[in-house]
Amino acid sequence: MAQQVDLTKLNMDGNQNAFKNNIIRTGSFSISGSSSAGGVDTRTNTVLLGRVPDLLQIVFNGPTDTSGLDLDPRPSDAWFETGAVWVLGNNAGAGYTDYPLAFELSAAIVNDTAVISATNIKQFTDVLTLTAVTVYYRIIDYSVF
Amino acid sequence: MDISKLNFYSGANYMKRDITTGTRDMIAASGATTTYDVPHNIGGDNVPQFLTSAEVARDKVIWRRNQFYVGFGDGSTSPTYPELSAWITTSKLTLSLYNPTGASVTVPVYWVIYKDYGTTS
């Protein structure tokens, strides 16, 4: 039996700006240890892409705010493009118990590498011991043509 | 025509918009948050890629997900624009509109959910 082909779908020349998904890369990294003494605290994770990408789209997953203060409406099992994962910090001597710290996620492309950053801005100098969390990422590597 | 581009079958990992792609006017009272769920039912353990945007200033200008507040810095002025957040699970996309302004707002919101056929590593 002959296979029917819709010839209108064959309009895939360079002027059409189409894109296709080459591969989805998934992985994770941990935010742990101690917080900074104040100011900007950035944790990074590099992902080798195997090629210099045309276009990336990245979504993240990790714990939402569990402090009870309702600082973030996102459920912990939901993936997001822009937002934060929340890490609880403790320093009993300074009066901090399960203090919520927001680590905002972002990413940059350096040649064939994606550099994922999780950044917290802390406005007090007491150092907190962090309860480790795992941050998950999904990177879609597109070719544009 | 460059016939090398005619590699348009599922093994080549093309993307297409799912039928759940759409738009909606979201209404939020002053100081309130309103949410809207879009079930995507794409299936399995898929976490689809998505895009969201909104006319946060209601002036026909579409901003990708958010717009920075006017008056950021000294705390003496109130935010002028509502803020759109979004997140997705294996079953639904959730849009969340927070309105910190002094009056109710109606914001046109747009979303695209992609059904893709990629290879995961």
Side-chain angles (χ1 to χ4, degrees):
Chain A
M1 181 180 294
Q3 182 180 17
Q4 290 191 331
V5 177
D6 182 353
L7 295 181
T8 63
K9 296 291 193 296
L10 300 181
N11 195 14
M12 297 290 283
D13 62 71
N15 294 325
Q16 297 304 309
N17 300 328
F19 59 97
K20 69 174 186 177
N21 164 13
N22 285 309
I23 194 165
I24 300 173
R25 297 190 184 280
T26 62
S28 64
F29 62 97
S30 177
I31 299 175
S32 61
S34 298
S35 73
S36 66
V40 180
D41 180 354
T42 299
R43 315 296 174 100
T44 60
N45 182 72
T46 58
V47 181
L48 297 178
L49 302 172
R51 70 184 206 108
V52 178
D54 290 342
L55 185 69
L56 295 184
Q57 189 166 19
I58 308 175
V59 289
F60 305 100
N61 191 325
T64 191
D65 168 45
T66 58
S67 67
L69 299 174
D70 295 328
L71 299 173
D72 190 335
R74 178 183 67 83
S76 280
D77 66 340
W79 293 77
F80 58 95
E81 197 173 26
T82 308
V85 295
W86 293 78
V87 184
L88 298 178
N90 291 278
N91 183 332
Y96 295 95
T97 302
D98 286 342
Y99 186 90
L101 299 171
F103 280 79
E104 300 239 2
L105 275 298
S106 62
I109 303 170
V110 182
N111 294 319
D112 62 350
T113 302
V115 180
I116 297 173
S117 299
T119 301
N120 171 255
I121 300 175
K122 189 158 71 62
Q123 296 177 308
F124 55 91
T125 57
D126 297 296
V127 175
L128 308 185
T129 300
L130 304 180
T131 301
V133 303
T134 300
V135 181
Y136 300 90
Y137 58 84
R138 287 170 59 93
I139 302 173
I140 290 192
D141 179 340
Y142 297 111
S143 282
V144 179
F145 60 99
Chain B
M1 178 181 292
D2 180 353
I3 60 174
S4 68
K5 296 290 193 295
L6 300 180
N7 199 15
F8 203 70
Y9 60 95
S10 62
N13 305 334
Y14 64 87
M15 308 283 290
K16 69 176 188 177
R17 286 172 291 179
D18 189 66
I19 59 172
T20 52
T21 292
T23 180
R24 178 183 180 86
D25 285 346
M26 294 185 70
I27 302 170
S30 174
T33 297
T34 184
T35 61
Y36 181 69
D37 290 334
V38 182
H40 60 71
N41 300 319
I42 286 181
D45 295 327
N46 285 307
V47 180
Q49 292 300 111
F50 67 97
L51 297 174
T52 58
S53 56
E55 296 179 34
V56 287
R58 289 87 67 207
D59 59 355
K60 305 299 183 184
V61 175
I62 299 174
W63 292 82
R64 176 77 188 278
R65 197 200 79 86
N66 245 347
Q67 183 175 26
F68 290 112
Y69 296 133
V70 172
F72 179 84
D74 62 7
S76 63
T77 55
S78 298
T80 306
Y81 305 108
E83 178 180 354
L84 179 70
S85 301
W87 53 85
I88 197 164
T89 67
T90 54
S91 61
K92 64 182 179 183
L93 170 68
T94 298
L95 303 159
S96 175
L97 184 72
Y98 167 56
N99 176 18
T101 72
S104 175
V105 294
T106 299
V107 178
V109 174
Y110 308 89
W111 65 90
V112 178
I113 298 175
Y114 289 101
K115 182 183 296 187
D116 71 75
Y117 301 88
T119 302
T120 303
S121 76

